Amino acid sequence: MPDTLAQPMRFGSSSGQPVTRRDGIAKVTGDADYAADHSPSGMLHAVYAPAAIARGRVTAMNTVAAEAHPGVVRVITPANRPALQGDPADKSVMFTFRIEVLQDDTVRYAGQPVALVLAETLEAATEGARLLDPQYAVEVPRVTLADAESEPVAGQGFGQPADTTHGDVDAGHAAAARSVDVTYTTAAQYHNAMEPHAIVAQWEGDHLSLDVPTQAFALSCAGYARYFGIPAENVTIRCPYLGGGFGSKAIPAGPLVLAVLAARDVGRPVKLALTRKQMFGPVGHRGATEQRLRIGADGEGRLSVIDHDNVAETSTFDDFVEPAANASQGLYAAGALRSRHRAVRLDVGTPGPMRAPGEASGSAALECAMDELAEASGIDPLEFRLRNYAETEPGTGRPYSSKALRDCYLQGAERFGWSGRPSAPGTMRDASGLLTGWGMGTALFPAPMFAAQARATLKADGTALVETSAADMGQGAWTALAQIAADSLGLPLDAVEFRAGHSSLPDGGVAGGSGHTATAGGALHAAGLDVVRQLGEIAAADPESPLHGAGNAQFVARDGRLFVEGDEGRSDALADILVRAGGAPLTGTGRGARAPEAAAAHAMYSHGAVFAEVKVDPDLGQIRVSRLVGAFAAGRIINPKLAESQLFGGMIWGVSFALHEEAKFDRRTGRIMNADFAGYHVPVNADVPGLEVIMVHEDDPHVNPLGVKGVGEIGIVGTVGAIGNAIRHATGRRVRRFPIRIEGMLG
Amino acid sequence: MKSFDFVQPRTVAEALAAWGPGAVWLGGGTSLIDLMKLGVAQPDVVIDLGRVAGMRSVDVQGDGAVRIGALVSNADLTRDAAFAARFPMVAEALLSGASGQLRNAATVAGNLMQHTRCAYFQDAGAACNRRDPGAGCDAQGGVGGGVAVLGASPACIAVNPSDFCVPLAALDAVVEVQGPEGGREIAMADFHLLPGDTPDRVTALAPGELIVALRLPAGADGFAGHSRYLKVRDRTSFAFATASAAAGLRMEHGRIAEARLALGAVAAKPWRVAEAEAVLIGQTPDADLFDRAATIAMAGAEPGDDLAWKIDLARKTAVRALCLAAAGTPARMPALPASVFAEPAGEKVHA
């Protein structure tokens, strides 16, 4: 195959434009319907009783009281739970975890469903669940990394990171003129999308119809089908909008499967929506980590070794381990690289992928350790990173498909004013006397692709219908994917009707891994090109077409017309070609995926550099990130307005990670004591007064025909370390525990 | 949630008549409704005061006192420019609390009646003497944060979460109450109770008593020129205080003629110590003086397991609030009220 894909390619008039979100008005006026907005007639409400202990057994429940409560229709416990055809431990569908669906009376984590109550109203179901008043045989829970011994990672599946070593690690340590050996900890975090998990389930015979938020239609259909012993095509999922997923809504979660089971049992539609508090347990989280970094550099500040050990939590009944140490792969040109992982089994719900899994936690530690070594070496943090800039992927030697990281560093530094940074910490004060500090971090995130399909249909009126099931998580897929589709057909955006959000459409793949625009967009692009190719054949065979006889030529569509590539003088209107051919719609199909050999030939990442300014009150210790500048190179940007929003969102999550988010476990009970938004903090607007994103130009001829990488997750990655480093620079204090709080600044 | 009766009286007399054991007053509902959803509050009768007439105005009385009707919303009071000019620390405290949406719903009397945000009080599965006398206190040795360092007892270590109450205490506000036995007045300093052996008794209200108004006494506006509320917290907005302080000074010829200092988030009530204020009288303002006063105010603080930093923070917060007050009330309310990160104070009213 050729070394590069066809280049350069201009993508019409829509791609690259900051088109306003097409679903925006529907969302702000309440027209957009989310899963829990649906209430089919005859529907029952389901509420589950969550376990109040983290480890032990349910010994009794007052089902009599619950069943006697007015409006309660049925109480389902492990004793009377209807049969499930599939195994709750089945993991044959990608990204699936073992689910808790009342299969026994064992309690494995606080918040685990221990019974389900169905009632005519939400209030009655809620009160019924409360009246159950479960009694327990309690065992001592283990909920923090200190509560149990670590063990090797169990296997090699999803969420079971392998150890990776490149080069001679011992020699790297021996060669270091300067080194640091530091341990950082990160807290357990919970996804908490604005829309909690919810489902409305209806059965008709052995056909299942669901309103449920999903990041992956086909995988979700396959998952529900497996649990209920029906073919995947019998499962219909409607999900036009998704109020955030962040990795927690890819596949069926236990409470949602319970609702489907209940609906089948009672023969009525059932709605179940998690409360905010219930989001802390059965639907995944970012596991706590303890990361030891031993890194060394020679006398010139060139890294001889990055040795990254991660100990992370997992549950007692599944194996997802935060792959944090892998964040040290792919980035800096160290002579030797080692990433190792161990797991601690705790009485918690199984952790899972949460926006920038691995990289967010791993980079937080790595970027701080890098600054510690830079400071020990007497080198400016940016200069230190530039000195260790990797021209090829460290360890493997593979070329990068593209890497404009140097431009990110330089443009970000210029915009931020980095060159004015005093090297000594604790020396900058602002006009109000606040300690001021500047820090930076490098951002790296893989540019994967999943597999997706799409269909494009050109109509004789010159408009088109394009379809893929692709989920819009709120990131703007409704708009960005339509832009790609319009350009692939050479039509203005307004002439293209885009359908998505329904499982009957061609499989749009997974909205995750920062690969959605590349994957679903790639499928839409290919479908459009398929239409153009077919249309070219029709025109070339049509004696009335100006394109007659151009049978061997390449055709391109632009501005509603078909051209012979390289010959602007010959063209025909798309609609006219179809009309002359009888007016029947013309359908093309396309697939988005990356060939394995292309994936192997290059290292493919998005890159970025984040610069942070923090203010810290010298007496009172309150911290605020006054300014963040992020410069990112992520291939072709389809919609700069939406991409900027995505990157802002990531950077704000970086603030959240660095300063706010932490699930606080009571080690006596295993319960999370701040399981609401009053106690589990994320930043408010007043916490992010100065955000700026620079999108650095980058052409990537290898990642895919569109040259699209992804921007969904990378914004978090460099930001956390940048903030930790800025706090060090402001105060002279190096805090190695995230989140960093007032108490860490005092005393 | 548990089923309950819902009544909507039109007058104070009707409201009082509707009360019985198991009944609760509903103001804005920003505290009560949450607790009902959590199963922590399980009333039999909810008496919605929203239609009771005559409790929604702010009036200046003949002697210069200002009377605030119990149902005045927090938002309406903060938008009352004349009120803010006379009692800037009260306005600043209100604006630093909750969010705009919550302030629209919340009432001033409800602010006095709001429950502690102690995580163990809010968790129906935890032992809490305040909820269930004799059950124990799981907050001790727990992870809730935000616990008392002053005035706590073995039975309860909860703090009062209110910002508004802190300057009210500093300014000797009075709570006007009506009840089955008639009307009475309760000094703000006596309104919230320390836990002692009866942590379930949170306020001085007798069963069936209803707050009808708050009153800032004549002369309380004498601090308007040197009056600040400062609130320290990890998040810049929409978070309860880690430590807070209301400070007011009445200056005469460069010396402190009268001083007020109350601390928030350290105890089950706003913390005010007469000796801390007395030490300031007749002095010229300076940071060392304020540190002496703040140290007196925090005397007796108990660091518990790991709260030495909080005692240190509360003292420093009081010092900073006094320094800000001494520098003069800003002519305009800062864009971030009560915040450490409020823009440089700028033009002063009386500096």
Side-chain angles (χ1 to χ4, degrees), chain A residues 126-127 130 432 434 617 619-620 622 624 660 664-666 668 671 673 681-682 686-687 741-743, chain B residues 1-2 42 119-120 123 125 138 140 142-143 233-236 239 309 313 316 320 336 340-341 344:
Chain A
T126 303
E127 181 64 6
R130 195 185 67 79
S432 303
L434 296 167
D617 189 287
D619 304 315
L620 307 176
Q622 195 173 329
R624 190 184 194 207
H660 298 292
K664 293 181 179 172
F665 287 87
D666 187 317
R668 300 166 300 184
R671 284 203 295 276
M673 295 310 297
H681 282 188
V682 298
D687 293 306
R741 293 236 171 80
I742 287 170
E743 53 261 50
Chain B
M1 61 178 74
K2 177 169 162 281
Q42 295 181 34
Y120 295 86
D123 178 358
D138 278 350
Q140 292 173 36
V143 293
R233 44 185 166 172
D234 280 304
R235 184 159 71 180
T236 313
W309 67 270
L313 177 64
K316 288 172 171 172
R320 179 71 64 81
L336 292 173
V340 166
F341 301 110

Side-chain angles (χ1 to χ4, degrees), chain B residues 27-50:
Chain B
T30 58
S31 175
L32 177 64
I33 302 296
D34 283 353
L35 293 176
M36 289 170 69
K37 287 181 178 175
L38 291 168
V40 169
Q42 295 181 34
D44 299 314
V45 182
V46 173
I47 304 170
D48 174 19
L49 301 169

